[in-house]
Amino acid sequence: MTEILAFVFGAALAAATWLSVLRTVFVPRWRSSVLMRTIVSGTWRAGAALAHRLPRGAGERVMDLCAPLSLYLAAACWFGSTLAGFALTAPALAGVPFTWSGLTGFLLLREGNLLAAAAWASAVLVLASFVLHLQRVTAAYSRRELVVARMSMRAAMATEAEQVLAEHLRLGSRDHLDRLFAQWTGWLADILATHTGYPALTVYRPATRLCWLHAAVLVLDAAALTESVAPDWAPPSTRSVLKAGAECFPVLARQVGVRLPRPVVSLEGREERDFDQTLKVAVDAGLPQELGEQEAWPVFQHWRTRYAPYAVAMSQRLCYTADDPSAWLNS
């Protein structure tokens, strides 16, 4: 009876492990496996709890390790569960004694050779799948940070949305601005697909001083400003990038435990910027003014309330901007 129960549990464990591997690596479909999501969340929370008790610099280094550590913990769980699952089926399938020495001997290929070989072959395939997953995560992280790094090279000059818009209006044409918005539309679509399918990416720290969330809000604010002031002149990709941002950030925010009601007005990061001054900077740089301040403000807020509150809350939740380490654990 014990061997039968061990066989059922072992077979279920091995099957569940492979389902987790397949779900995580090959068919994430906007949502990773329960195991990966649980490990990423648990590792991040543990890292934040430890970082809260350390000086800021040491805490940042701890947070840097959370994402890669969660990936390797998931790989260790897959590897161990695969071998354990096969070992528990060995007494029923290969006549291995249901003892510690018998099961360890099975895993050391001393007994039940065919089944033991299958166990190790399955474990090797699990590790190969993990390597593939790691390559995909690394590639997605590189794509995310490359676009932000290009923007951060100008961050000293363009740290506000109106400055980003003014810079592109002065340096290029309407088509030049359209290419910027088109590039970030593709970037946001990639962010949504990869960060929901591979949740560790959301925990990965920014590679530059310009946070990827802040960079996205800058571009989206520039698009919202363009759409609100010059809706007929706005490049074709303006609405596309705004819709991409409005779809992306609420989903990612829910993934890290941030649930916000949509506000009526969003001033996050723009508390000290009057809209009339923002409008003047953009118009002076060459943005055609089709709507006045009173008409443009509601349109600007219609779009901004759909992405900015979620991006700012995520930045605080993921410890990107908290000056007080005690805020790292607040939710």
Side-chain angles (χ1 to χ4, degrees), residues 99-121:
T99 62
W100 178 256
S101 60
L103 295 179
T104 54
F106 166 78
L107 292 176
L108 294 174
L109 302 178
R110 289 200 291 260
E111 300 184 53
N113 289 337
L114 289 178
L115 186 60
W120 280 102

Side-chain angles (χ1 to χ4, degrees), residues 7-319:
F7 170 79
V8 172
F9 181 77
L13 181 61
T17 300
W18 266 107
L19 286 175
S20 177
V21 171
L22 293 174
R23 178 67 172 167
T24 302
V25 180
F26 299 104
V27 284
R29 282 189 179 179
W30 308 91
R31 189 172 176 85
S32 187
S33 65
V34 173
L35 175 67
M36 182 61 75
R37 286 185 278 121
T38 302
I39 289 178
V40 169
S41 176
T43 304
W44 174 81
R45 289 180 178 274
L50 177 59
H52 167 50
R53 294 166 173 79
L54 297 174
R56 180 67 175 178
E60 284 287 350
R61 287 190 287 273
V62 169
M63 297 304 294
D64 285 341
L65 296 175
C66 288
L69 179 60
S70 66
L71 292 174
Y72 280 97
L73 284 176
C77 288
W78 288 337
F79 184 77
S81 297
T82 300
L83 291 178
F86 273 90
L88 290 173
T89 65
L93 295 181
V96 175
F98 191 58
T99 62
W100 178 256
S101 60
L103 295 179
T104 54
F106 166 78
L107 292 176
L108 294 174
L109 302 178
R110 289 200 291 260
E111 300 184 53
N113 289 337
L114 289 178
L115 186 60
W120 280 102
S122 180
V124 169
L125 288 175
V126 165
L127 291 181
S129 299
F130 170 70
V131 171
L132 176 61
H133 180 67
L134 194 61
Q135 290 175 339
R136 290 177 175 176
V137 170
T138 303
Y141 177 73
S142 298
R143 291 195 303 272
R144 183 187 88 183
E145 294 300 322
L146 179 60
V147 175
V148 177
R150 289 171 179 164
M151 186 173 183
S152 69
M153 296 177 68
R154 302 175 178 174
M157 297 180 295
T159 55
E160 300 177 4
E162 53 269 37
Q163 294 175 340
V164 172
L165 179 58
E167 180 183 355
H168 282 80
L169 288 171
R170 293 191 187 103
L171 296 179
S173 62
R174 178 174 177 269
D175 292 338
H176 183 70
L177 189 62
D178 187 54
R179 286 193 294 271
L180 172 70
F181 292 157
Q183 178 190 32
W184 281 83
T185 300
W187 183 88
L188 285 164
D190 186 55
I191 290 292
L192 180 59
T194 56
H195 287 53
T196 51
Y198 307 131
L201 279 169
T202 308
V203 185
Y204 263 103
R205 313 293 284 174
T208 66
R209 296 186 65 181
L210 180 60
C211 170
W212 59 282
L213 293 167
H214 182 208
V217 169
L218 285 177
V219 174
L220 288 168
D221 279 353
L225 185 59
T226 304
E227 181 67 22
S228 63
V229 176
D232 294 333
W233 178 89
S237 297
T238 306
R239 286 211 166 205
S240 297
V241 72
L242 289 169
K243 290 178 180 178
E247 180 182 1
C248 177
F249 288 119
V251 173
L252 294 186
R254 289 194 297 271
Q255 182 172 285
V256 297
V258 173
R259 299 182 183 276
L260 299 173
R262 182 179 170 186
V264 178
V265 175
S266 171
L267 296 176
E268 295 87 353
R270 300 189 60 84
E271 294 87 351
E272 299 179 0
R273 302 175 182 88
D274 293 332
F275 189 68
D276 58 343
Q277 296 175 349
T278 296
L279 192 62
K280 184 178 185 302
V281 172
V283 172
D284 289 346
L287 181 66
Q289 185 171 1
E290 299 172 5
L291 299 178
E293 178 185 348
Q294 298 300 320
E295 295 83 7
W297 172 251
V299 179
F300 181 74
Q301 286 299 323
H302 165 76
W303 288 109
R304 196 171 203 271
T305 54
R306 298 172 68 182
Y307 59 82
Y310 305 98
V312 172
M314 283 180 61
S315 181
Q316 295 171 348
R317 175 76 168 170
L318 295 170
C319 317

